[in-house]
């Protein structure tokens, strides 16, 4: 992967399995658009109401030439589902950006 990737875990311990999963998803984004300048992924598990359970929050910041694509607030109790939804949204935005070019 040629794009610099920064992964941050907040309010939770770092996970090697999630880290590997994020790297695989980020590589797939490069197949959609190869000129990604930067990629930052934040996995957050904020404390919320006890009735909801603990939700994972995913934020993806993609730097592309002339623009920054941001995906935020993809919440789910399963971290992998939240990551899938967030990366799907990022891929759609990246495809739209590529079409505009």
């Amino acid at each position: 992967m040629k794009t610099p990737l920064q992964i941050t875990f907040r309010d939770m311990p770092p996970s090697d399995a999630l880290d590997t999963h994020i790297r695989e998803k980020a590589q797939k984004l490069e197949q959609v658009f190869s000129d990604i300048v930067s990629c930052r992924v934040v996995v957050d598990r904020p404390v919320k109401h006890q009735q909801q359970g603990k939700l994972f929050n995913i934020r993806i910041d993609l730097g592309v030439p002339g623009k920054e694509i941001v995906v935020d607030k993809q919440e789910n109790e399963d971290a992998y589902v939240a990551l899938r939804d967030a990366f799907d949204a990022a891929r759609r935005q990246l495809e739209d950006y590529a079409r505009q070019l």
Side-chain angles (χ1 to χ4, degrees):
M1 181 174 175
K2 68 178 184 168
T3 302
L5 178 62
Q6 178 184 351
I7 301 171
T8 306
F9 293 95
R10 287 192 188 146
D11 299 327
M12 62 180 285
S15 165
D16 289 337
L18 281 178
D19 187 271
T20 303
H21 192 70
I22 290 168
R23 290 182 189 283
E24 290 170 0
K25 293 281 193 181
Q27 279 183 333
K28 289 182 182 178
L29 287 180
E30 276 191 336
Q31 294 171 359
V32 173
F33 188 78
S34 62
D35 293 334
I36 298 174
V37 179
S38 66
C39 181
R40 290 183 302 279
V41 180
V42 178
V43 180
D44 189 13
R45 195 163 189 191
V47 178
K48 292 204 175 185
H49 302 300
Q50 292 179 347
Q51 295 166 341
Q52 283 184 309
K54 294 192 175 184
L55 299 177
F56 287 92
N57 232 6
I58 309 296
R59 178 182 171 98
I60 302 173
D61 295 306
L62 289 174
V64 293
K67 187 176 180 179
E68 184 158 343
I69 295 173
V70 178
V71 175
D72 197 10
K73 299 289 184 191
Q74 300 295 325
E75 295 181 338
N76 198 298
E77 287 186 11
D78 184 349
Y80 292 98
V81 172
L83 280 169
R84 180 199 65 202
D85 293 346
F87 274 97
D88 284 349
R91 181 182 44 78
R92 285 190 300 272
Q93 289 186 35
L94 202 55
E95 287 170 347
D96 289 344
Y97 175 76
R99 270 194 295 276
Q100 289 175 1
L101 291 181

